[in-house]
Amino acid sequence: MSKLKSIFLISFSLVVSQLVFAKEGMWLPFLLQQLNEGEMQSMGMKLSADDIYSVNHSSLKDAVLIFGGGCTGEVISDQGLVLTNHHCGYGQIQSHSSLDHDYLTNGFWAMSQNEELPNPGLKVTFVIRMEDVTKQVTEGIPSDIGEKERAEYIANKSKLITEEAVAETHYDAEVRPFYHGNQFILIVTETYKDIRMVGAPPSSIGKFGFDTDNWVWPRHTGDFSMFRIYAGKDNKPADYSPENVPFTPRHHFPVSLKGYQEDDFTMVFGFPGRTEEYLPSVAVEYVLNESNPAKIAMRDQSLAIINKWMKSDPLINIQYASKQSRISNAWKKWIGQSKGLKENDALEVKRALEADFQNKVDNNADWKQKYGSILADYKSVYDEAAAYMLSREMFIEYYYYGPEIFRFASKFDVLMDKDQSDEDLTRNIENLRKATEAHFKNYQEAVDRELFEQLSTLYLGQLDQIMHPRELTLFLTRKDPVRALYDKTLFASKEAVLDFLDDFKRKDVKDIEKDWAYIIQKDITNNYNEIVRPRLSEYGNQLDLLNRTYMQALMEVMPDYKNYYPDANFSLRVTYGKVKSYQPKNAVTYLPYTTTSGIIEKMDTTSYEYDVPEKLVDLIETNDYGVYADADGTMHVCFIATNHTTGGNSGSPAINANGELIGLNFDRTWESTMSDIMYDPNICRNIMVDIRYVLFIIDKYAGAKHLVDEMTLISEQQ
Ligand code: ASP
């Protein structure tokens, strides 16, 4: 490792700007002019880079936003109307649902702005500007400094830069690393906090095909929901208030009714979450042989339990809908990802690249000195770190996606501080009351018992002996651990917890301290924090240095291997491609769009996954598509293109050559689930719902034409 530390940083932007391009990649909008504009225009785009991103005048970027914690959305009217995926608004739709108002099953439509529903905690964020600050951030970093000190140095510099960037504004700012810490970018943002739910189709449209169709083409899902941004009277962000008014955006997307043809240019503008395109083969081996199989095994179990209970009872179906989706979405992706990586020989491809790389490096004295040991260093770090990495992933699977009793019990930590003032204590008790109500709204003890029973031994079975949480391990040796836990704990019953809080005296903390749910949660988290985390942070520092150096080395040693773009990190990116069919296997071609006939083909009234609402069947059978039909008279539902997307791009606008909205990105095909690690332009496709289907559902199905009337529609004549 010592050799690596002496590496000097080459001028990074120089290398980036000398590249030639293809379609893979997620590009920074403020560098499009320099890097991509020519290629985009040669592929058919009629816009300039300045139309897409500008700080001097309104541009497409002003209509693109982060929706909630991990999705993208876009503004589609001059009154702040926002479109995102059904699966992105799912948590909000679910939280407004009850057996009386089951918006998950029946959909929801605000027929006037008065009926739009507030969503405490939901935010949307716009990017105001982005700027390369690599020079300011890295200038003066001593070359012999350790990774930890380097990170501190960068954090201090970043703090000064962000403070200056937002001085006297209501904006936020951060400096983010790109290309694994070879480039730093300042991102200034504006966040709105009063976001109201406007509409959502029933799940039988918004989630049509459910788990079976998720990550699969051909697809017929109307995966959209609508919200509206409200602002103070000055159009600036404001906390929720009935006095707030619809936000006036700097730009909203015009909506095209013109459709598309195969090979038409498309672009997706949004916030891709995470990709790992430059992983070394040892890391891919870890994913394939350890991480994915272990995570899939845990989720196989939890889904079997949750699905069974959801089917058995309509209330549980609502309560667990959001959790089930969160668990199953990644579970299915990992299965597809492993399959795709194996079938496409990802390991062999990576190993061949590394052999070539090593060969070139060994034949050049300078490179040999700087990069000669990188691959061997990776191997030794992974050999040691893999068990700890797996332990972390299993901790996340068990603690955050497994039985919920432990996380709930952990909230009671706030009562443990014996010296807290009476005021603090009263406030903490009040907050716990609210947390208790929220927790039990979506909780069934019977489901949790089964999750504990099935997942606990599986969890321990994946861990090295030395990383086993002690109390949990011992507890599981009891005769009937499920009863021993759930029959005795305070934390399985809402009434018991609320009574406890009503009569709480300081001495009652003893009852919590001897409650097994509380003891085990402490055991699991302490075990992680004391045994796993410190080691992971050491390995993390080593890997940070290796990743940064390997990224730089690849670009220097193998400039023609790839069009190097920064891995996704949930920052604003542009990806572009063409509407395109593909061949998933020998003798099979997938056409680039689906129509409503496919909905009728898939319809199955005995399965909730393919149950089609009667009204939709009527509209389809009478071809009642109005102005939303394609020129050929059919109603397109979804389409695919070669845009390189990932999670986080959910809800992103799909844009045509003129900058008009033609669809809403929501998924990738089965063959693309590997694309976060290895993107292959021949078979990887993103899936979008056709905007005309969205409008058809809003207008003809839901009778909410007033929403379509708000939009700027572009039809054939224009
Ligand atoms: N369906 C994905 C998601 O859940 C989108 C993608 O990964 O392509 O975020």
Side-chain angles (χ1 to χ4, degrees):
M1 294 291 276
S2 57
K3 266 193 233 154
L4 291 177
K5 289 189 183 160
S6 63
I7 288 161
F8 65 91
L9 281 175
I10 50 168
S11 166
F12 206 72
S13 36
L14 205 81
V15 179
V16 177
S17 62
Q18 284 166 353
L19 302 166
V20 258
F21 297 104
K23 267 129 282 287
E24 173 179 354
M26 302 166 164
W27 303 96
L28 286 160
F30 74 105
L31 296 177
L32 288 180
Q33 190 164 23
Q34 214 179 328
L35 301 178
N36 315 80
E37 187 184 51
E39 185 186 61
M40 292 169 87
Q41 289 172 342
S42 75
M43 288 168 64
M45 184 180 77
K46 308 267 174 18
L47 306 168
S48 68
D50 199 47
D51 295 327
I52 298 171
Y53 174 95
S54 171
V55 286
N56 301 318
H57 52 80
S58 69
S59 56
L60 300 196
K61 80 135 174 45
D62 296 318
V64 183
L65 50 89
I66 297 178
F67 182 87
C71 279
T72 302
E74 54 275 355
V75 186
I76 53 165
S77 88
D78 59 5
Q79 297 169 55
L81 194 61
V82 166
L83 191 61
T84 189
N85 288 149
H86 187 263
H87 78 263
C88 294
Y90 204 63
Q92 282 74 35
I93 307 167
Q94 193 256 355
S95 76
H96 291 295
S97 292
S98 60
L99 285 175
D100 294 339
H101 298 282
D102 188 350
Y103 301 139
L104 285 174
T105 303
N106 305 318
F108 167 80
W109 299 96
M111 288 303 166
S112 71
Q113 290 183 354
N114 291 336
E115 290 176 19
E116 295 173 357
L117 300 174
N119 300 284
L122 179 62
K123 294 177 186 156
V124 303
T125 297
F126 293 97
V127 170
I128 299 297
R129 71 186 176 92
M130 301 173 92
E131 186 186 330
D132 188 337
V133 290
T134 312
K135 195 154 173 289
Q136 293 95 301
V137 171
T138 55
E139 209 163 41
I141 298 186
S143 58
D144 55 351
I145 198 171
E147 274 305 291
K148 211 161 148 245
E149 294 72 35
R150 185 179 188 274
E152 272 162 26
Y153 189 98
I154 289 170
N156 291 337
K157 280 281 187 79
S158 302
K159 188 159 177 275
L160 295 177
I161 295 170
T162 50
E163 276 169 6
E164 195 187 321
V166 299
E168 284 160 46
T169 71
H170 61 279
Y171 297 149
D172 299 304
E174 65 172 330
V175 170
R176 284 242 192 121
F178 287 70
Y179 292 101
H180 294 280
N182 283 292
Q183 189 182 31
F184 291 88
I185 290 174
L186 167 70
I187 306 172
V188 179
T189 57
E190 183 180 37
T191 295
Y192 283 80
K193 299 172 272 189
D194 182 355
I195 316 299
R196 305 193 195 159
M197 188 163 99
V198 174
S203 295
S204 53
I205 292 174
K207 229 169 134 50
F208 182 71
F210 285 69
D211 283 347
T212 305
D213 276 11
N214 196 16
W215 303 108
V216 165
W217 184 254
R219 195 66 163 273
H220 301 84
T221 314
D223 195 346
F224 77 94
S225 60
M226 299 180 93
F227 290 78
R228 191 186 304 280
I229 307 171
Y230 280 78
K233 300 239 155 57
D234 54 2
N235 206 36
K236 295 220 173 94
D239 287 329
Y240 169 79
S241 157
E243 309 296 306
N244 286 347
V245 294
F247 164 67
T248 308
R250 287 171 282 266
H251 180 69
H252 67 274
F253 280 105
V255 176
S256 169
L257 295 178
K258 292 182 287 188
Y260 41 78
Q261 305 289 329
E262 174 138 25
D263 285 323
D264 275 0
F265 173 86
T266 61
M267 157 178 142
V268 170
F269 204 177
F271 294 85
R274 183 161 183 233
T275 57
E276 301 175 297
E277 307 288 347
Y278 308 104
L279 283 182
S281 59
V282 283
V284 179
E285 254 177 271
Y286 167 74
V287 171
L288 278 177
N289 300 337
E290 304 197 45
S291 160
N292 277 2
K295 290 187 298 190
I296 292 166
M298 290 286 278
R299 293 194 183 200
D300 278 342
Q301 282 294 346
S302 54
L303 285 169
I305 295 163
I306 292 173
N307 289 345
K308 180 189 76 184
W309 281 100
M310 282 175 77
K311 269 191 214 130
S312 75
D313 181 333
L315 176 64
I316 301 182
N317 192 41
I318 295 176
Q319 290 179 315
Y320 280 75
S322 229
K323 298 179 215 178
Q324 196 275 355
S325 290
R326 261 187 344 131
I327 297 171
S328 71
N329 191 40
W331 162 80
K332 194 165 176 192
K333 183 178 93 167
W334 294 326
I335 295 173
Q337 182 183 63
S338 288
K339 187 170 179 287
L341 290 174
K342 283 183 196 149
E343 283 174 7
N344 290 281
D345 303 323
L347 275 176
E348 287 69 24
V349 171
K350 290 268 178 192
R351 285 183 190 137
L353 164 76
E354 288 166 9
D356 195 9
F357 170 83
Q358 192 69 48
N359 191 25
K360 289 196 164 69
V361 165
D362 288 345
N363 284 309
N364 174 308
D366 177 36
W367 289 344
K368 192 164 180 187
Q369 197 253 330
K370 291 192 295 183
Y371 308 132
S373 68
I374 295 183
L375 294 172
D377 290 342
Y378 261 129
K379 168 124 183 48
S380 56
V381 176
Y382 267 91
D383 280 350
E384 281 183 38
Y388 290 88
M389 291 173 162
L390 190 66
S391 183
R392 174 175 176 273
E393 298 196 275
M394 288 302 100
F395 166 69
I396 293 171
E397 286 304 308
Y398 186 71
Y399 192 69
Y400 292 97
Y401 293 90
E404 292 178 83
I405 196 145
F406 301 125
R407 252 179 315 137
F408 179 56
S410 76
K411 293 195 189 328
F412 288 72
D413 257 344
V414 292
L415 300 179
M416 292 300 159
D417 176 3
K418 299 200 173 66
D419 301 325
Q420 64 186 305
S421 67
D422 286 346
E423 265 168 25
D424 284 352
L425 185 61
T426 311
R427 202 193 50 243
N428 282 331
I429 291 176
E430 198 36 50
N431 287 341
L432 281 174
R433 261 197 207 103
K434 286 192 200 131
T436 304
E437 294 288 351
H439 170 76
F440 283 100
K441 179 168 181 271
N442 293 322
Y443 179 83
Q444 290 287 340
E445 186 187 329
V447 181
D448 217 46
R449 279 177 178 246
E450 268 192 57
L451 290 171
F452 173 71
E453 183 176 6
Q454 298 300 328
L455 293 183
S456 302
T457 31
L458 195 56
Y459 163 57
L460 293 184
Q462 313 274 14
L463 305 182
D464 260 17
Q465 204 78 26
I466 53 156
M467 290 178 228
H468 280 189
R470 212 182 105 78
E471 300 292 355
L472 174 64
T473 311
L474 279 175
F475 194 83
L476 292 177
T477 60
R478 292 184 179 208
K479 197 154 148 271
D480 187 345
V482 179
R483 294 193 61 183
L485 180 64
Y486 286 82
D487 285 0
K488 304 250 169 62
T489 180
L490 170 70
F491 298 106
S493 148
K494 176 173 157 185
E495 288 65 38
V497 177
L498 289 177
D499 285 352
F500 177 79
L501 289 172
D502 283 346
D503 299 337
F504 184 78
K505 309 270 168 333
R506 284 176 190 259
K507 66 173 176 26
D508 295 340
V509 293
K510 281 201 212 74
D511 294 341
I512 300 177
E513 277 164 345
K514 53 182 205 268
D515 190 301
W516 275 103
Y518 185 80
I519 295 171
I520 294 175
Q521 68 77 24
K522 268 258 163 291
D523 176 43
I524 300 170
T525 46
N526 285 350
N527 179 73
Y528 174 70
N529 286 327
E530 284 157 23
I531 296 182
V532 182
R533 209 149 111 153
R535 293 294 288 273
L536 274 181
S537 116
E538 269 170 46
Y539 297 128
N541 286 338
Q542 294 173 24
L543 285 175
D544 283 350
L545 174 59
L546 282 169
N547 291 340
R548 189 167 74 246
T549 314
Y550 186 46
M551 184 81 245
Q552 175 188 315
L554 278 174
M555 294 171 84
E556 193 181 344
V557 175
M558 317 200 53
D560 300 329
Y561 156 64
K562 208 179 183 60
N563 307 304
Y564 295 95
Y565 52 90
D567 264 325
N569 59 359
F570 206 47
S571 60
L572 185 59
R573 304 291 179 93
V574 168
T575 159
Y576 50 94
K578 291 189 166 185
V579 177
K580 235 200 161 37
S581 52
Y582 76 108
Q583 264 106 38
K585 48 188 156 213
N586 184 243
V588 176
T589 300
Y590 279 153
L591 300 182
Y593 64 85
T594 57
T595 68
T596 42
S597 313
I599 296 179
I600 303 299
E601 255 172 42
K602 285 181 178 172
M603 184 164 73
D604 177 355
T605 44
T606 65
S607 155
Y608 72 96
E609 294 196 315
Y610 297 106
D611 197 10
V612 185
E614 238 168 76
K615 183 161 180 198
L616 182 58
V617 176
D618 287 348
L619 289 166
I620 295 173
E621 282 179 347
T622 53
N623 284 324
D624 189 1
Y625 303 131
V627 293
Y628 311 114
D630 191 71
D632 66 9
T634 65
M635 177 83 247
H636 289 206
V637 181
C638 294
F639 64 110
I640 49 173
T642 59
N643 303 301
H644 184 185
T645 55
T646 185
N649 271 126
S650 285
S652 297
I655 304 161
N656 67 11
N658 300 317
E660 299 150 2
L661 194 68
I662 50 170
L664 188 58
N665 182 74
F666 71 96
D667 206 4
R668 281 169 284 164
T669 60
W670 189 235
E671 293 71 25
S672 314
T673 45
M674 64 173 191
S675 72
D676 293 347
I677 292 179
M678 193 170 91
Y679 180 86
D680 178 346
N682 293 319
I683 51 167
C684 291
R685 299 288 180 270
N686 69 310
I687 308 180
M688 297 152 284
V689 52
D690 192 306
I691 199 66
R692 295 168 298 175
Y693 183 65
V694 170
L695 301 189
F696 157 75
I697 294 293
I698 296 173
D699 176 354
K700 296 274 181 176
Y701 176 82
K705 176 143 189 305
H706 61 285
L707 296 172
V708 178
D709 292 340
E710 258 187 57
M711 302 173 200
T712 307
L713 299 184
I714 309 287
S715 54
E716 210 57 72
Q717 293 72 32
Q718 284 156 302

